[in-house]
Amino acid sequence: PTGLAWGTDGSLYISDWVDRSYPVHGRGRIWRVRLRDDVAPRSSAADRAARNRVYRDAEGSKREHQVATQPLDQLNIASLLAPSTPPRVRTACLRRIDDRRWLPQLVDAVQPADPFIRQAAREGLAHTANWNDLRQLFRDTRASVRLAAILVIRKHHERQFEEIVEEALSDANDSIRFVATEWLATRKRKADRALLLRQLHTRPMSGHLFEATLAAVAKIDGVMEQWKPGRNGDWWKPRSKAYSLVARLFDDKDVPLGTLRRAIEFLPPGHEALSHERLRRWMEIAKGDRGLQLAIVRRMPLDARGIIWLRGVIEDRRRDEHVRAEALMRWPVDRREQVRALIEWAQAQEMPTSLRREALASLRGARLTANDVRTLVKLSGRNKEFSPLVATVLAKPPHPDRPPRSDLDAWLARIGTDGDPLAGQRVFFHPRGAGCFKCHRIDGRGEAVGPAFYRTPGVERFSRRSLLRAILSPSTEIAHGFESYRLRTKDGRVWTGILRTETDREYRLFDQEGREFAVPRDQVEAVVPGDVSLMPDGLVDRMTDRELRDLLAFLQAPAEPE
């Protein structure tokens, strides 16, 4: 939001005014937030003055106001900093402290889980601590204290920041390293480029920090100055030297395995640096690293050699089950022998049940013979657990007894909560499944056609109920900026999709499969906003109850489940 204001009707008005490059909807809007009609207002006060009186009469607000305005020497700071003090009162005190005697209390306050208390403590720290204090705090064994120190130094002691930047880049905490990386990108000195590249070769990184480091190098190289309206997301990667810089990592035999994984994930599928020989060699040294093995399986080219290799992974009983399942997910069904292999794996008693299920899931959309169908029906009869999956393979309802899609309580009770996030990840990305990845991005994978998922450790962004409702009835609530549009052209055709960009020459949209297409503007007679989500109805019919439960577990996982 760029502005907030109360209306005389009690509504909250929020301005969200941006330029056309904004990746959500490209236009500014004013939003009105009001109580639902079926919720009684807490106060009948209609004018601003009356509402302010109600606000100031609240005990917490009154104490907060006193703490924020009274002279510090008249406040009992010790009692105000006690954990039992209401957070809003405590933060008002923390922000005002400027006496070094309270430095230990400020340090303690930068550690709680509450981000508002941490932020207020950092403000107090900026008033109270001198450079030597902050330098000493940056050497603290607690990551939360070091992070607070570097944030205060970055904002209030930027001239001295250079003294600690290399130390910060070597910190064990990714958030601290990110602050240093961002600062080097902001000042854009060519000499810093080598410092950032050295981090890629020497330090394990999260995917977020790995990409941020390459983006910082691109910014130093001036690539970000090429930005234009309509260029969003990963536009900078092919325009920078990022891919070639990442490919050079593969020639460094000492590169950390964690960094190797990030490099493989960063490069687009089919990149020349991801050769069969390299991927196979890395698979041998990644025996104890599931994340790296999964990255290798996802990038193995699906030519004749790659398919033979995938078979070896699938049938290797020493491998992690999730790695074998990922290989099954990538197994193609273009040829008759490939379909037969999946059916044989689904029947194999020696295969773990999870892999037999994955083999069945990968048969969706395959061309089956009458004999194949009979074999699958027999398998379903012998093992009732496989019946729902076999039904989806045969394009039938997986569970005929499912409740109405409007009955969320019944659905929540039906599917339960003990899902497997890694299995749910495969449901999300399966090329022959529900197709979530064709429109949604998560953990840097997938397409940004619909709303993306951003996950933070310890933070649950979507409730289980809201996620389930979106899957069962996607048109019930459509995210702003992702409404569908119908374009009628002069030749009588109607085009439907999510509007990506609009210029004087053309409209560019995404269709239901996540494919981008263009419609010449001079051929368009009418543009009509739709009230139906581009996310297809009946998506749940492509999933079994188990798959739906696993998918929700994956979407609610706080970070990568690997």
Side-chain angles (χ1 to χ4, degrees), residues 272-290:
E272 60 183 4
L274 299 174
S275 65
H276 290 87
E277 291 73 18
R278 276 178 169 162
L279 292 170
R280 286 200 299 268
R281 185 173 69 252
W282 294 331
M283 196 69 168
E284 291 307 310
I285 65 174
K287 291 179 180 178
D289 191 326
R290 176 198 284 166

Side-chain angles (χ1 to χ4, degrees), residues 167-213:
E167 190 176 345
L169 287 171
S170 300
D171 199 277
N173 183 275
D174 266 18
S175 296
I176 294 169
R177 295 165 68 187
F178 184 89
V179 174
T181 299
E182 186 273 338
W183 182 74
L184 292 175
T186 300
R187 74 174 188 174
K188 296 191 291 187
R189 293 185 185 176
K190 291 290 185 183
D192 295 332
R193 194 175 186 275
L195 184 59
L196 289 167
L197 291 177
R198 189 160 66 246
Q199 301 306 307
L200 292 175
H201 285 263
T202 58
R203 306 284 303 180
M205 295 182 176
S206 66
H208 176 61
L209 181 59
F210 186 86
E211 188 160 318
T213 302

Side-chain angles (χ1 to χ4, degrees), residues 42 79 88 108 152 157 180 188 201 327 333 359 447:
R42 295 184 181 181
S79 65
R88 64 193 304 177
D108 288 341
V152 173
H157 299 270
K188 296 191 291 187
H201 285 263
V333 291
E447 299 298 329

